[in-house]
Amino acid sequence: MTGTSINNFVPLSNINEDSSTCPQQVEITDFTKLDHHAFKLRYRSNSIISASTIEDEKPLPVIKILGTGGTIASKAQSSNVTAGYAVDLTIEELLSHIPDLSTTCILEYEQVMNIDSKDMGLLEVETLYRQIKEDLSKYDGIVITHGTDTMEETAFFIQSTINTEKPIVFCGSMRPSTAISSDGPMNLYQAIVIASHPQSHGRGVLIALNDRIGAGYYITKSNANSLDTFKTVGQGYIGNFVNDEVKYYFPAAKPLGMTYFELDAEFDLPEVPIIYAHQGLNNKILELALKELNAKGLVIATMGAGSLSAETNEFLSNLVGPGFPIIYSKRSMDGMVPLGGLPKFNGKVFDNAVAGGYLNPQKARILLQLCLNEGYDLKRIKKVFKTV
């Protein structure tokens, strides 16, 4: 760091300054892109530890943080408010509230977008996908800050479309940065340490929240308010984070049965609506959804392990033509829809019906969209879903 002016460093806001010690500092270099800024960040501890000194001793992993917004980047009107907040913080501001990582990794970060995840649509997911693809060859791991509402969908999409051994770790928070019990700084800190850990390689896309490490392929948000919301009841967590230690329960492995899709430079996924089944379902909703939206497939959140009323199943069989895929998923958070749960007519399984396996409706929708985008016919779609 010879010849670097001290003016290139800024103090971290969470360090207590006094007359006897210099504040912990960080160098920020701005790399201007077409529509936003990307930054390289190197910590200096007490103004004597530099990135170059650390690199001479042992090469550190270089981690890229991609910010997309969410509750982790939000502020509320007071410290006791945990709802009704707005996205207002940048990645740079978030990083100023986490501990020193100078002996763990070298950080670079980029604000890809700054939105609530309820506003995360195909265009936004595509933007994030392209950024990850661009960055993967340059970094040892990727961390993505994301709102929790749709984090599981984005993580599933990235897992299904990017095949890499490098760790891609999603994190977020359930409470805004202004809350007394804000969980954002710890979740972000843990995600960075996890992405830097050598044992995180070869495990697929991870989600790190509330000291838990889960597989993005299966994990889901189970509670609208609790910090301990992301769960994989049937498949279980793959590790946890305790007292600055990353602990994995199993050897490195990715979820079994995944299908990878190599997307073209330009893609526009076909329309696939989700219908939530319930008592007294008006079957006209099915007809409207398919015809008005020009849907290419359908996902139904069935009432059990594929259960729909006999009337609804018959209505569907008369509504769709040969080859039109209908994924029978489930409303319940855990469990699966097996092949035996599909409806039968005259002893023969409804040909359009596809068992959704362990996937919840929102993830089944993404998988079906990717299959249709590849031009898969019904037979091949069934083969893909048979593995999940």
Side-chain angles (χ1 to χ4, degrees), residues 34-343:
L34 291 177
D35 55 350
H36 56 268
H37 296 279
F39 300 87
K40 179 179 292 185
L41 178 146
R42 295 172 185 253
Y43 287 87
R44 280 171 50 126
S45 182
N46 294 331
S47 299
I48 57 172
I49 299 179
S50 68
S52 59
T53 302
I54 297 168
E55 290 169 348
D56 289 341
E57 295 174 357
K58 182 181 178 181
L60 293 177
V62 183
I63 304 300
K64 178 74 173 287
I65 305 176
L66 302 178
T68 71
T71 299
I72 193 171
S74 297
K75 290 181 179 179
Q77 293 180 347
S78 64
S79 61
N80 64 322
V81 172
T82 58
Y85 40 78
V87 177
D88 194 46
L89 293 176
T90 64
I91 283 294
E92 183 177 348
E93 291 171 306
L94 291 175
L95 286 170
S96 69
H97 292 90
I98 66 173
D100 174 32
L101 287 160
S102 62
T103 58
T104 302
C105 65
I106 296 172
L107 287 178
E108 297 189 20
Y109 61 95
E110 188 166 339
Q111 195 75 52
V112 182
M113 62 194 78
N114 212 16
I115 62 174
D116 192 305
S117 70
K118 70 179 186 296
D119 298 316
M120 185 74 71
L122 179 59
L123 177 61
E124 290 73 25
V125 172
E126 182 180 347
T127 299
L128 179 60
Y129 163 81
R130 296 194 189 288
Q131 189 63 59
I132 296 171
K133 290 278 283 187
E134 177 184 326
D135 289 338
L136 261 180
S137 62
K138 309 171 189 174
Y139 301 95
D140 299 300
I142 304 287
V143 171
I144 300 161
T145 61
H146 195 292
T148 59
D149 285 350
T150 64
M151 181 187 291
E152 66 190 82
E153 293 172 71
T154 304
F156 182 88
F157 179 89
I158 296 302
Q159 177 67 87
S160 300
T161 57
I162 296 181
N163 191 1
T164 179
E165 294 299 301
K166 295 181 179 180
I168 299 176
V169 186
F170 281 77
C171 72
S173 73
M174 289 298 293
R175 293 179 181 169
S177 63
T178 47
I180 299 170
S181 55
S182 175
D183 52 325
M186 179 59 89
N187 289 339
L188 176 57
Y189 175 77
Q190 291 183 358
I192 296 170
V193 176
I194 291 167
S196 304
H197 201 284
Q199 290 188 18
S200 297
H201 287 250
R203 297 182 183 273
V205 173
L206 305 175
I207 289 183
L209 275 95
N210 201 44
D211 303 334
R212 318 273 196 180
I213 308 172
Y217 195 78
Y218 286 119
I219 203 165
T220 186
K221 185 174 180 178
S222 67
N223 190 297
N225 316 104
S226 172
L227 298 186
D228 191 23
T229 176
F230 275 84
K231 298 184 183 298
T232 45
V233 178
Q235 297 77 24
Y237 298 104
I238 64 173
N240 71 346
F241 192 106
V242 178
N243 195 34
D244 230 22
E245 295 182 41
V246 178
K247 296 291 186 181
Y248 286 108
Y249 308 138
F250 317 105
K254 297 178 184 179
L256 190 64
M258 291 189 302
T259 300
Y260 284 105
F261 299 86
E262 188 67 37
L263 297 176
D264 295 332
E266 299 292 334
F267 63 89
D268 185 15
L269 300 184
E271 184 66 46
V272 174
I274 299 174
I275 298 297
Y276 191 94
H278 53 83
Q279 290 180 346
L281 174 66
N282 188 329
N283 292 325
K284 280 290 184 182
I285 293 175
L286 300 165
E287 184 176 12
L288 287 170
L290 298 190
K291 292 184 176 179
E292 293 297 323
L293 298 176
N294 190 28
K296 304 304 180 184
L298 175 67
V299 175
I300 301 179
T302 68
M303 294 176 281
S307 62
L308 286 177
S309 70
E311 180 184 353
T312 296
N313 282 323
E314 185 176 355
F315 185 88
L316 281 170
S317 69
N318 294 323
L319 178 64
V320 300
F324 187 91
I326 302 175
I327 312 300
Y328 280 62
S329 184
K330 72 285 193 298
R331 301 188 316 191
S332 56
M333 189 184 80
D334 197 20
M336 70 171 295
V337 177
L339 292 173
L342 298 178

